[in-house]
Amino acid sequence: MKSLQDAIYNWLTIKIVSDARPDDTAAVETTQLFEQILAEEHKVDSHEMKRDAIMYYVTVVQEGQSKEYRFPRDLIEVMLDQIRQEPDKYVNYPEED
């Protein structure tokens, strides 16, 4: 991913899903993938997320510099909303032993 903002957006979108569905192995693994992209490709040392009624705020530390990004909640929560509206289309298949 070339853009740090795009990587944060993708991470945040799936992070919201994996937080709401901790047993969703695909969401958890995808969250981990985007955390790896943030660390390896974008040199993000840490990240913090906050939200209010309208926005999500993500603060990252990249090579010692703190940067904040804002995203509208309706944009970030669209995937989670879709899963909640049509749960039969988003069945979680447990990992096989």
Side-chain angles (χ1 to χ4, degrees):
M1 275 190 182
K2 294 186 180 200
S3 164
L4 175 58
Q5 182 172 339
D6 288 346
I8 293 169
Y9 167 80
N10 288 322
W11 164 78
L12 182 57
T13 301
I14 197 64
K15 173 79 170 135
I16 299 308
V17 172
S18 67
D19 285 353
R21 297 171 41 114
D23 294 333
D24 186 332
T25 53
V28 170
E29 289 173 2
T30 305
T31 300
Q32 293 168 347
L33 172 67
F34 281 110
E35 288 173 351
Q36 182 178 357
I37 289 170
L38 287 171
E40 293 176 6
E41 291 183 24
H42 296 285
K43 310 298 185 225
V44 170
D45 298 320
S46 64
H47 51 276
E48 179 181 314
M49 173 190 59
K50 296 179 185 175
R51 71 178 183 196
D52 61 23
I54 300 170
M55 303 289 279
Y56 278 92
Y57 304 90
V58 178
T59 303
V60 298
V61 177
Q62 181 187 43
E63 298 179 337
Q65 299 276 347
S66 180
K67 299 176 182 181
E68 183 178 86
Y69 296 85
R70 299 179 303 160
F71 302 93
R73 280 186 69 164
D74 58 343
L75 181 66
I76 295 301
E77 295 174 357
V78 70
M79 183 184 298
L80 182 58
D81 291 343
Q82 185 175 9
I83 290 169
R84 287 180 174 158
Q85 289 172 10
E86 299 180 273
D88 54 309
K89 291 184 179 180
Y90 300 94
V91 176
N92 183 38
Y93 297 98
E95 290 186 32
E96 294 182 21
D97 293 326

